[in-house]
Amino acid sequence: ENGSPEVVDYLGGKAQIDAAVAAGVKQFVYVGSMGGTQSDNFLNTIGDGNILLWKRKAEVYLAGSGMKYTIVHPGGLLNKEGGERKLVIDVDDKILETKERSVPREDVASVVVGCLGLDEAVDTAFDLASKDPEGGSTEPLDVPSLLKTLDGKSCDYALNSEDVENLVLSQ
């Protein structure tokens, strides 16, 4: 009934996290969105507003839950075949400063599955995009090698924390 970002992205995410903690889930892989460090991102202006901030609030809740987690922030989702583009990762919306900010949905799913049970992915949050294919498919996805390109970095939830903390529940 109420499909607001507050209800769907924060309260819905929080409910999933609480259920996973109660069930003893070993690792929670959460798919958010790039743009959470940018209060002025255009996605925060559509619908009931602040969708990226509400998503980020759920991510902060997950990070503080005590459960092992991985947070993936894909760029714009493409309805293109996966496995044909070079995947790139970074943190803190740096990818949004480039021209290649999108990723096939199938590749997002492959990265999510590849992070499950992977020590290198635990307690890590990163942004994900892809580069246009050059002459066909790329090498098979190797999530551990992809994560090594982060050099130990993870998204910094202190960035934009004031705007996230100032979100007030309407209920």
Side-chain angles (χ1 to χ4, degrees):
E1 178 180 311
N2 183 350
S4 72
E6 173 190 352
V7 171
V8 173
D9 296 296
Y10 177 64
L11 295 176
K14 185 176 178 290
Q16 292 175 41
I17 294 161
D18 289 343
V21 169
V25 169
K26 290 183 173 60
Q27 180 189 9
F28 194 104
V29 180
Y30 184 91
V31 179
S33 180
M34 275 198 278
T37 66
Q38 304 172 334
S39 293
D40 62 347
N41 188 293
F42 80 97
L43 291 175
N44 286 322
T45 66
I46 57 177
D48 290 334
N50 292 325
I51 187 168
L52 299 176
L53 296 178
W54 285 110
K55 286 179 183 292
R56 194 161 178 92
K57 190 172 183 86
E59 293 169 13
V60 169
Y61 185 79
L62 173 59
S65 72
M67 184 173 29
K68 293 179 180 179
Y69 67 88
T70 304
I71 301 170
V72 182
H73 299 132
L77 298 173
L78 299 172
N79 292 323
K80 301 204 181 261
E81 193 166 329
E84 295 185 352
R85 297 166 160 255
K86 177 178 172 52
L87 299 182
V88 293
I89 61 175
D90 208 335
V91 297
D92 301 329
D93 294 327
K94 290 182 183 90
I95 291 173
L96 292 177
E97 299 167 8
T98 71
K99 67 176 186 145
E100 295 172 320
R101 303 177 278 194
S102 301
V103 61
R105 295 171 193 274
E106 190 176 316
D107 286 333
V108 175
S110 295
V111 168
V112 166
V113 170
C115 286
L116 289 170
L118 187 64
D119 288 340
E120 298 96 314
V122 169
D123 297 344
T124 301
F126 58 90
D127 306 333
L128 173 67
S130 63
K131 294 187 176 196
D132 285 329
E134 296 176 19
S137 64
T138 62
E139 299 172 16
L141 178 61
D142 178 356
V143 174
S145 292
L146 184 65
L147 291 174
K148 279 184 182 175
T149 66
L150 289 174
D151 291 323
K153 296 181 290 187
S154 186
C155 291
D156 180 359
Y157 283 94
L159 297 173
N160 207 21
S161 63
E162 185 175 330
D163 286 347
V164 172
E165 290 168 10
N166 286 334
L167 291 171
V168 177
L169 295 175
S170 62
Q171 303 174 13

